[in-house]
Amino acid sequence: MKHVLFVLVALFCLLMAGCAPREVRYVVGVSQCSDDEWREQMNKEIRREALFYPGVKIDIRTAKDNNAQQIADIESLIGEGVDLLIVSPNEADAITPVIEKAYNKGIPVVLADRKIRSDKYTAYVGADNYEIGRQVGSYIAERLQGKGNLVEVAGLKASTSALERHRGLMDALRETPDIKLIASADAAWLRVPAEKAFGDILSKFPDIDMVFAHNDRMAAGAYDAAVKQHREHDMLFVGIDALAGEGYGVEQVANRQLDATFIYPTGGDKVMEVAMNILQGRDYTRETVLLTALVNKANARIMQMQTAHIGQLDNKIEVLDKQLDTYLMRYSSQRMLLYACIVILVLVAMLLFFVVRAFWTKNRLNAELSDQKKRLEEQRDQLISLSKQLEEATHAKLAFFTNVSHDFRTPLTLIAAPVNQLAESNKLGENERFLLNIIQKNVTVLLRLINQILDFRKFENGKLSMTLSRFDISENIKDWTDAFRTLSYRKHIHFTVSVEPSEEGYVMIADAEKMERITYNLLSNAFKFTPENGTIEIKLSQFTKEGERWLRYQVSDTGIGMPAEHVKHIFESFYQIDVHHAGSGIGLALVKAFVEMHGGTIAVDSGEGRGTVFTLEMPVLQNGVPEENVEKNIVLTNLKEGAVLSADQETIQTAPEVVERDDKETVLIIDDNQDVRDYVKSLLHDKYTVIEASNGQKGLQQAMKYVPDAVICDVMMPVMDGMECCRRLKSEVQTSHIPVMMLTAYTMDEQKVKGYECGADSYILKPFSARLLQVRLRNLIDNRLRLQSFFADKTSLRKEPIADLDKGFVEKLRALIDEQLGNSELSVEDLGDKIGMSRVQLYRKSKALTGYSPNELLRIARLKKAASLLASTEKTIAEITYEVGFSSPSYFTKCYKDYFGESPTDFLKRKG
């Protein structure tokens, strides 16, 4: 196998070699002082000449007449490790040090066109600027016939080329003293500065015979200035460069703008030739001087023709180079294809070898696999059996926890409610109040543990929901952590809560109760594993994520920490770190569930001996919930003249009662627990006549006998449970109008759905607030009385025994109502026609037997059907409105709220 891998690697390397691009052997860095047309021509020649040297890369930088930029360019090229430098210095004094630096590092330096103030360079290629200046001086002397006024437009005076051209000019003019240099200006080799400078000279000197510019661009600028003052025919213009091309020196001479120009050869090809001789170790000339020549009107046209021909040849060379690249690329592709084919053939051969080998190996292994399969099937069956047993045990454990937790709610009711009443007393001593506070706190802790088990059950069933509210977490955190202050003092733990300052504040929209539970569980965990004299800290801060505000909530401790193998399982259900610290194993699993319900994340950082840090991050405002639509509490019952109940804090504000009563209403309490009956009776006996029953069957008999104004019924009872009792009460005409309030320790929505289907009017969860029960009961009775007073003639519900009622009439009327429930056009006349009575007769008969008018009976039936649909289906309020026969959702909402004490929207929020 090793030999096979070696062959594959070798073939791959061969293939890659065939695909490799041309190798770069030399990198030549070029630093130009400016970017004029003369420099561009030189750059073209350098690049064209480089085509004849394979493996050469040209890197050209332009300083644009800036010394600092050119120094930076050269430093960069040195840093990149170029093999050779070609430099046209901007100013000799400024550029000399950096060129000496490159030379001292062993990098060959070829100076082009201009020199430096040092001998530390490898070679120079360029024209003799002194000789050009001297030839220009001789031409001026000859052209002016030894007499006249001369103006000089010089290049950058600090550059060697400008200095040498000026010196050559002056030496030539010494032989003709009658030619006077009346003015000189520095135009920095540029056309616009030359135009401006010469314009100033023209305004000072009226008599000028000739203008000498150090290059053609400045000569053109001087000519432009003369044209503006209409003096272009009064003088002659001479330049240097003689570049061919539109608008350049040769064309200017041909167009009679310039009298003459002198060829200043760019020499890019020669520069590249000398550079390659140096790199390849061949002989070269250190000082290569390029020749110059005069271009005037006599030979300008010839120069243009020759330049055009040379340009055509250059273009042909470029085309040939591109074709050569194309051929090389095609050759490389074909070679790569060949190598690929060879590799594929080898791979196919190897594949055939392995296929044959695998065939024989398969026959040998089949027998072994057959035996292993039998053993694996046996193990699989065992695992399936164990998995089922484990699942059954887990469900049994959760069911046990849930049932026990529900059983705890009844005694908790009998503890919590009396304790709360005692706490409101002003007759308690300090010691008694202290002991009472301890009881209250521990009842709260026990209730919190029970709720945690029930919530975990909901979480396991995928039915855990949120109740959103708007609150300031920085303020609430102080109340939530107050219960741990005593524990911190007792264990000598330094416990702090820090809130990072924020301009936006810490008001958030979330489930406050779940945030409190998160805090409680994390702090319980921290105090459990932090020894005495340790530190526990809660830290709140905010940050921005994708344009939204997020909360960062950290709980850290200096406890014993956790090993890595525990950290990855810490959020799993029933997972415990060790047996020495008691716990249910569901607290952190619920914390993770609560955080994820808020769209957040939780992470833990821990290690043995260095403590633990839990970091929660979640949005400050829950997505899709406008801040203005969320109140501080979710209101369950909100009647204009009644009472307001708060679901999360159970705070109650009472208002004047609406219905005036001359005598006490009767309330039937049905519960198998004598203590519960006695306690509820003690709450109600001042305002109501209370009758009792110990199970559903006796309760039904009492209700039929006394026809109470309301029934308070437990769910779990012997003989007949609360569900069946409620169903029977609602199925009898004599008791169907009685509002039924169910008492339950179960929080599951399925049971509530069954209760509403049986006709229950309201639910109260154990343990309940005494005040909550009183106000809820008052609202149910008042709602019934409101309906009577609104729809009927103010008479009370009749309490005749069922035997005195015309049962057949009632059943027929109910059947008609159920049949026509969805017909929004159904009228009293329609009902009368079907029963065989007039409208008035039907009204009087219905009112006398049931206490309700036909319209009222129809509305109540529709509302109960709507309540059942809201509880048991996912239909919208609008869909249910029309399904049960209401003409508009707004009217349905009003009737529903009047009857049940809460709007359909509030019910759906509670349903989750």
Side-chain angles (χ1 to χ4, degrees), residues 394-647:
T394 301
H395 284 297
K397 178 167 59 174
L398 288 174
F400 171 75
F401 283 161
T402 304
N403 292 333
V404 169
S405 300
H406 285 303
D407 291 340
F408 285 163
R409 283 183 176 268
T410 297
L412 270 178
T413 300
L414 298 175
I415 297 172
V419 165
N420 290 336
Q421 285 185 295
L422 287 174
E424 296 175 0
S425 174
N426 297 324
K427 300 178 181 180
L428 295 177
E430 183 177 348
N431 186 55
E432 289 80 359
R433 190 170 296 279
F434 172 75
L435 296 175
L436 201 60
N437 287 336
I438 293 177
I439 296 174
Q440 280 184 311
K441 288 182 179 178
N442 284 277
V443 167
T444 302
V445 171
L446 184 56
L447 182 59
R448 182 182 287 114
L449 292 175
I450 292 172
N451 288 336
Q452 186 156 293
I453 294 173
L454 297 178
D455 278 348
F456 184 75
R457 182 64 167 165
K458 288 183 180 179
F459 170 64
E460 290 286 309
N461 293 332
K463 296 178 180 178
L464 191 61
S465 59
M466 288 200 304
T467 302
L468 297 178
S469 60
R470 186 173 184 271
F471 60 95
D472 189 332
I473 190 171
S474 64
E475 295 297 329
N476 285 25
I477 198 74
K478 299 174 184 177
D479 298 331
W480 298 342
T481 59
D482 188 59
F484 291 89
R485 295 293 177 185
T486 303
L487 182 59
S488 68
Y489 296 147
R490 188 168 67 246
K491 292 187 68 174
H492 305 290
I493 290 176
H494 182 59
F495 177 39
T496 60
V497 177
S498 63
V499 179
E500 185 177 292
S502 173
E503 293 182 0
E504 295 86 353
Y506 283 85
V507 175
M508 63 185 304
I509 294 176
D511 190 323
E513 188 265 342
K514 287 182 175 55
M515 293 300 295
E516 179 183 8
R517 300 262 292 283
I518 289 171
T519 303
Y520 179 84
N521 282 330
L522 292 180
L523 284 180
S524 297
N525 188 76
F527 275 95
K528 185 187 302 182
F529 293 102
T530 302
E532 290 192 358
N533 300 315
T535 299
I536 296 176
E537 181 184 12
I538 292 180
K539 185 177 181 181
L540 295 181
S541 60
Q542 293 190 58
F543 65 98
T544 301
K545 182 177 180 180
E546 296 179 356
E548 296 183 358
R549 287 193 299 131
W550 278 56
L551 174 73
R552 181 176 286 117
Y553 184 167
Q554 288 184 317
V555 178
S556 60
D557 64 66
T558 58
I560 60 176
M562 295 177 285
E565 62 268 20
H566 291 306
V567 171
K568 60 185 179 182
H569 299 293
I570 196 66
F571 296 113
E572 295 177 4
S573 305
F574 305 113
Y575 185 80
Q576 292 176 298
I577 294 178
D578 59 59
V579 297
H580 303 294
H581 294 85
S584 62
I586 63 175
L588 291 179
L590 269 181
V591 167
K592 185 173 187 292
F594 290 164
V595 172
E596 290 177 349
M597 287 176 69
H598 285 83
T601 59
I602 182 170
V604 58
D605 179 21
S606 184
E608 287 188 277
R610 62 180 180 88
T612 302
V613 179
F614 286 92
T615 302
L616 288 68
E617 294 181 351
M618 64 178 66
V620 172
L621 304 178
Q622 292 300 299
N623 290 335
V625 183
E627 184 175 353
E628 62 271 15
N629 291 343
V630 181
E631 300 297 334
K632 292 186 177 179
N633 300 304
I634 305 300
V635 178
L636 296 181
T637 307
N638 184 6
L639 300 176
K640 293 182 180 178
E641 302 92 357
V644 178
L645 306 181
S646 170

Side-chain angles (χ1 to χ4, degrees), residues 588-877:
L588 291 179
L590 269 181
V591 167
K592 185 173 187 292
F594 290 164
V595 172
E596 290 177 349
M597 287 176 69
H598 285 83
T601 59
I602 182 170
V604 58
D605 179 21
S606 184
E608 287 188 277
R610 62 180 180 88
T612 302
V613 179
F614 286 92
T615 302
L616 288 68
E617 294 181 351
M618 64 178 66
V620 172
L621 304 178
Q622 292 300 299
N623 290 335
V625 183
E627 184 175 353
E628 62 271 15
N629 291 343
V630 181
E631 300 297 334
K632 292 186 177 179
N633 300 304
I634 305 300
V635 178
L636 296 181
T637 307
N638 184 6
L639 300 176
K640 293 182 180 178
E641 302 92 357
V644 178
L645 306 181
S646 170
D648 54 355
Q649 298 177 1
E650 295 187 356
T651 58
I652 303 170
Q653 299 173 349
T654 59
E657 297 177 353
V658 219
V659 182
E660 295 293 337
R661 297 179 300 278
D662 298 328
D663 55 352
K664 291 183 178 181
E665 289 94 352
T666 301
V667 177
L668 170 61
I669 303 172
I670 309 174
D671 199 301
D672 61 327
N673 189 305
Q674 182 65 49
D675 291 335
V676 172
R677 296 201 305 272
D678 291 342
Y679 176 63
V680 175
K681 184 176 181 179
S682 70
L683 297 176
L684 304 179
H685 76 278
D686 288 340
K687 296 184 178 181
Y688 303 92
T689 299
V690 180
I691 56 179
E692 304 176 44
S694 60
N695 58 59
Q697 185 174 2
K698 292 181 180 179
L700 184 60
Q701 293 171 355
Q702 295 284 67
M704 296 291 291
K705 180 178 180 181
Y706 295 105
V707 191
D709 294 281
V711 175
I712 299 175
C713 182
D714 191 19
V715 173
M716 303 298 293
M717 294 183 296
V719 184
M720 180 187 291
D721 64 19
M723 296 291 185
E724 178 62 18
C725 180
C726 180
R727 189 186 66 78
R728 295 280 296 275
L729 286 171
K730 295 298 183 178
S731 64
E732 299 293 338
V733 174
Q734 190 168 356
T735 58
S736 63
H737 66 282
I738 302 174
V740 179
M741 179 189 298
M742 306 295 288
L743 295 180
T744 180
Y746 287 86
T747 60
M748 302 298 286
D749 288 338
E750 292 91 339
Q751 192 188 68
K752 292 183 180 180
V753 170
K754 292 179 181 177
Y756 283 123
E757 287 177 344
C758 291
D761 296 275
S762 180
Y763 262 95
I764 288 188
L765 300 179
K766 295 179 180 179
F768 54 81
S769 162
R771 197 78 184 97
L772 175 63
L773 183 141
Q774 292 171 332
V775 176
R776 184 72 63 81
L777 177 63
R778 183 71 260 154
N779 283 338
L780 287 176
I781 296 174
D782 286 351
N783 285 342
R784 293 296 181 183
L785 296 178
R786 282 193 195 91
L787 285 173
Q788 271 195 306
S789 63
F790 183 78
F791 291 107
D793 54 3
K794 309 291 184 183
T795 59
S796 302
L797 291 175
R798 298 177 61 86
K799 300 182 180 178
E800 292 107 349
I802 190 65
D804 296 336
L805 298 177
D806 187 352
K807 193 171 184 179
F809 166 79
V810 173
E811 290 177 351
K812 188 173 182 180
L813 179 60
R814 179 176 295 159
L816 282 173
I817 289 174
D818 291 339
E819 181 182 345
Q820 299 292 323
L821 194 65
N823 183 6
S824 61
E825 303 297 326
L826 183 65
S827 65
V828 178
E829 287 82 3
D830 296 333
L831 289 174
D833 290 342
K834 294 181 183 296
I835 293 178
M837 293 182 179
S838 68
R839 184 179 184 280
V840 175
Q841 289 173 331
L842 177 61
Y843 177 86
R844 290 177 178 173
K845 186 81 171 177
S846 174
K847 190 69 176 178
L849 293 178
T850 67
Y852 296 92
S853 67
N855 278 337
E856 194 173 347
L857 288 174
L858 178 61
R859 184 177 295 104
I860 292 172
R862 285 171 171 167
L863 290 172
K864 287 187 176 182
K865 179 64 175 178
S868 177
L869 292 173
L870 283 171
S872 60
T873 70
E874 298 297 324
K875 294 182 178 180
T876 65
I877 294 175

Side-chain angles (χ1 to χ4, degrees), residues 41 242-252 255 303-304 307-308:
Q41 181 64 29
L243 287 180
E246 185 177 354
Y248 296 159
V250 174
E251 185 181 84
Q252 290 172 345
N255 294 338
M303 287 286 295
Q304 286 181 308
T307 303

